[in-house]
Amino acid sequence: MTRRLSVALMAVGGLVLLSVVLVMVPRSWWGVVASGWPVLVPVAGGSTVLVAGVLLWRRDGVKHEVSAAPMPPDRQVRPLRAWVIPAGVVLVGAVTWAAVGWLQSSVPLAGDQVERARLRVESIRTGLTIGASVTAAFALLLAFRRQQLAERTQQAAEYDAGEKRVTELYVKAADQLGAAKAPVRLAGLYALERLAQDNPAHRQSIVEVICAYLRMPYTPPDDHPTPEPDAPTPAVDITPAALIDATSGSDAAVVERREERQVRLAAQRILARHLRPATPEGEPNPLYWGMNVTLDLTEAVLIDLVFTGCHLHNATFTRTHFSGDSRFDKAEFHGDAWFGKATFGGDALFDKAEFHGDAWFGKATFGGDALFGEAEFHGDAWFDEATFGGDALFGEAAFHGNAKLDEATFRGNALFGQATFHGNAKLDEATFRGNALFGQATFHGDTTWFDKATFSGIAWFGEATFGGNVQFVEAKFRNVWFGEAKFRGGARFDAATFHGETAWFDMATFSGTALFGEATFEGDARFEKTTFEGEARFGRATFSGDAWFGEATFSSTGRFDRATFRTASFEGAIFSSAASFRGTTLAGMKYDGPESSVE
């Protein structure tokens, strides 16, 4: 606002002076002087407006945040040089002398003597007026400087007093956090909150104090107290000494932990209240502290945390213990989000959360369900060596970067239905003890890895799309379904083991090379109506059950060299190129397709 006003003032002042010059310059100087006030008033007004605009332009145009605390001085005023005053006097004299001399020399030599004398007197008067105007302007600048110095001194005094008051309140509130009684600690937290609300410059330091308090060691109390005994309660000694002994025992410790729990819940609510940019009704939150607030809750103990809809910047929850359920649904993480080695005792809700940087959950432990439905990972998502004790729900999640889930353990069900992986997905040596559901998932990355992954339950990849290469080398499946899956790149199932009753690949499409070398099918293998647009290699594969390739289409070479079939059916299969069965065990094989190089 100040910058715009200064520009407007300079523009108006310049236009006024330019108008005077354009109108008056063609006339003789004595005609201009004869005009009197009609000329002097616009010149003085335009000059004043122009000078005011220049002075405002030099002021700091940064818009300060509204604060109850005095603001620091905008800029330092340098001391006035000793030569400024003498130089000003000399400048005034020089300007006056030059003006009088120029005006005297411009008086015409011809004409009436009286008229020439009058013009000379008038020129001297005009020159002195110009000198007086310069003197007044110089005096005005000195007065403005004195006023500026006085205002800055007052501002500095107010700022120092305000800072002293803030420091006293800050120290007093911090001392209250170390009090033995829980109500005193609560009062200290709310005092810090009020202090931060009124002083934006101190918000980060106050948030760090609250985070440091939550990082202090703490053991949550047992939510299920011990039931009362059925036996009659014996007589209790209520003497003062006995009361002191009783309060110092285990009951007092339990009460203290319960009180401390309320203090910590209050601290968590304070942080959450000021990290939400919008109210539940969708209106701007007046209590929002902005995106510059950074949380460091490393190794903290958080209880039933609710950060729903919060905006977090470079938040750190490394090795944090989340007691109870933790809610980060609809939260936004700007910068990197660190949850490495964190422990979630209850359910972890990250539904519709947005991670604008990298999300680090490496070696994290989820004791309950982990809900990441419709979550957005704009950076890399690291879940390597993470342990999911309950169900892991990533349905409709979007991974715009790389997804790292290698060596992750899913003890419950893993649901990735309709998830989208725009980068590479790495699930090497992942363990799925429950069902792994990747139905209609889309993998756009160059490579997707499931090498040595173990699927103990149902592995469902129905209608999944693999845009690049996918590898299931040495993977172990119990019951697997790849029906109608689309493999746009190469697909490697080398040395994979299919333990279940049936491995379903019906109506799947392999656009690249399909490699099943040394794969083991302990049950039935169904490739009916499957399309192999690239080369299909089943060399040394073992089919212990029935192998069904009915109506399958082999657009390129189909190689089954040294494969072992118990029974196999290729009825209606189409081989556009040669099919190689060299060294293959074909006991009970039925083949109604075109001629091939069967040996």
Side-chain angles (χ1 to χ4, degrees):
M1 185 66 183
T2 304
R3 293 276 176 164
R4 294 179 180 177
L5 180 60
S6 63
V7 172
L9 292 176
M10 288 189 291
V12 171
L15 289 176
V16 171
L17 294 179
L18 181 62
S19 300
V20 173
V21 171
L22 292 178
V23 173
M24 297 302 181
V25 164
R27 300 170 58 184
S28 58
W29 68 268
W30 53 84
V32 174
V33 173
S35 300
W37 290 110
V39 176
L40 296 179
V41 170
V43 170
S47 301
T48 303
V49 173
L50 183 61
V51 171
V54 173
L55 294 177
L56 285 176
W57 177 264
R58 297 187 59 186
R59 295 179 63 87
D60 185 14
V62 179
K63 183 180 179 180
H64 298 290
E65 187 174 1
V66 177
S67 173
M71 298 303 298
D74 296 334
R75 61 184 180 87
Q76 183 178 4
V77 180
R78 296 180 180 179
L80 191 66
R81 302 283 183 174
W83 51 265
V84 171
I85 300 298
V89 174
V90 172
L91 177 63
V92 170
V95 170
T96 304
W97 181 269
V100 172
W102 177 74
L103 291 173
Q104 286 288 326
S105 62
S106 62
V107 175
L109 299 176
D112 186 11
Q113 293 291 336
V114 177
E115 180 65 19
R116 281 187 291 138
R118 188 182 65 80
L119 290 176
R120 289 182 181 278
V121 173
E122 191 68 27
S123 64
I124 295 173
R125 184 183 302 170
T126 302
L128 294 176
T129 302
I130 293 174
S133 300
V134 175
T135 303
F138 187 70
L140 179 63
L141 290 177
L142 293 178
F144 175 77
R145 179 179 173 82
R146 284 194 298 270
Q147 179 64 24
Q148 189 178 29
L149 286 172
E151 291 178 357
R152 186 185 181 281
T153 302
Q154 179 65 23
Q155 188 179 15
E158 293 178 356
Y159 176 71
D160 292 340
E163 283 294 296
K164 182 178 179 181
R165 177 179 59 84
V166 168
T167 301
E168 292 176 352
L169 294 175
Y170 178 85
V171 172
K172 182 178 180 181
D175 287 341
Q176 287 179 304
L177 292 181
K181 296 183 178 180
V184 179
R185 297 196 295 273
L186 282 171
L189 283 174
Y190 291 121
L192 287 175
E193 179 188 18
R194 181 179 178 182
L195 190 62
Q197 184 65 25
D198 294 338
N199 300 272
H202 297 277
R203 287 175 182 173
Q204 181 58 46
S205 60
I206 291 174
V207 168
E208 290 176 358
V209 171
I210 298 176
C211 290
Y213 184 85
L214 293 173
R215 290 197 300 267
M216 296 299 173
Y218 173 66
T219 302
D222 186 5
D223 291 332
H224 305 285
T226 304
E228 295 292 334
D230 296 333
T233 304
V236 179
D237 186 1
I238 58 174
T239 60
L243 291 176
I244 294 175
D245 293 339
T247 57
S248 62
S250 59
D251 292 342
V254 171
V255 172
E256 183 179 354
R257 289 204 304 270
R258 291 184 179 277
E259 292 178 347
E260 176 61 14
R261 173 175 181 164
Q262 297 303 318
V263 177
R264 287 175 172 266
L265 288 174
Q268 294 173 188
R269 285 193 292 267
I270 289 173
L271 293 178
R273 182 160 50 240
H274 298 284
L275 292 175
R276 295 189 180 100
T279 63
E281 295 76 19
E283 300 293 331
N285 183 10
L287 301 178
Y288 180 52
W289 284 351
M291 287 300 300
N292 295 326
V293 176
T294 301
L295 299 184
D296 184 1
L297 291 167
T298 303
E299 298 182 351
V301 177
L302 306 178
I303 307 168
D304 296 329
L305 183 67
V306 180
F307 272 5
T308 300
C310 291
H311 286 196
L312 307 174
H313 180 70
N314 287 338
T316 302
F317 296 91
T318 305
R319 295 188 297 277
T320 299
H321 176 71
F322 295 88
S323 177
D325 296 339
S326 305
R327 300 198 58 174
F328 290 91
D329 45 314
K330 298 181 181 179
E332 291 190 17
F333 295 85
H334 297 267
D336 294 340
W338 300 86
F339 288 87
K341 299 182 180 180
T343 302
F344 296 86
D347 295 340
L349 288 77
F350 288 86
D351 293 319
K352 297 183 180 180
E354 290 191 27
F355 298 86
H356 294 275
D358 293 342
W360 300 82
F361 288 86
K363 298 183 180 180
T365 301
F366 297 86
D369 295 338
L371 291 80
F372 288 85
E374 300 183 52
E376 295 271 349
F377 297 88
H378 295 277
D380 293 340
W382 298 79
F383 288 87
D384 49 307
E385 301 184 52
T387 301
F388 298 86
D391 293 338
L393 287 77
F394 288 85
E396 300 184 47
F399 297 85
H400 297 277
N402 298 322
K404 309 282 189 178
L405 292 100
D406 42 312
E407 300 185 52
T409 300
F410 299 85
R411 295 176 179 171
N413 297 320
L415 287 77
F416 288 83
Q418 300 183 22
T420 304
F421 297 83
H422 294 277
N424 296 329
K426 190 174 179 61
L427 292 95
D428 290 341
E429 301 185 47
T431 301
F432 298 87
R433 297 183 181 177
N435 298 323
L437 307 181
F438 288 84
Q440 299 182 354
T442 303
F443 298 84
H444 293 287
D446 296 333
T447 306
T448 301
W449 289 274
F450 284 89
D451 294 341
K452 298 183 179 181
T454 301
F455 298 86
S456 300
I458 297 174
W460 186 277
F461 289 87
E463 300 182 49
T465 301
F466 298 90
N469 299 323
V470 59
Q471 296 190 176
F472 288 88
V473 177
E474 298 186 42
K476 297 179 181 180
F477 300 91
R478 176 64 58 183
N479 295 295
V480 61
W481 176 273
F482 281 93
E484 300 184 55
K486 296 177 177 62
F487 299 86
R488 305 298 188 190
R492 293 191 61 185
F493 289 84
D494 295 331
T497 303
F498 300 86
H499 295 286
E501 295 181 359
T502 305
W504 300 83
F505 287 86
D506 293 348
M507 293 186 286
T509 301
F510 293 86
S511 300
T513 303
L515 304 177
F516 287 83
E518 300 184 22
T520 301
F521 295 86
E522 295 182 357
D524 296 341
R526 302 187 67 92
F527 289 86
E528 293 185 308
K529 297 183 180 180
T530 300
T531 300
F532 296 91
E533 297 178 2
E535 190 173 3
R537 298 183 182 181
F538 288 83
R540 299 179 185 272
T542 301
F543 297 86
S544 300
D546 296 334
W548 301 84
F549 287 86
E551 300 183 44
T553 301
F554 296 83
S555 300
S556 185
T557 304
R559 296 184 177 276
F560 295 84
D561 300 336
R562 300 183 183 180
T564 300
F565 293 90
R566 186 175 71 88
T567 60
S569 174
F570 286 83
E571 184 176 359
I574 299 174
F575 289 87
S576 300
S577 184
S580 176
F581 292 83
R582 293 181 177 85
T584 300
T585 302
L586 305 174
M589 176 180 177
K590 180 181 179 181
Y591 179 72
D592 294 329
E595 293 293 327
S596 62
S597 57
V598 178
E599 296 184 6

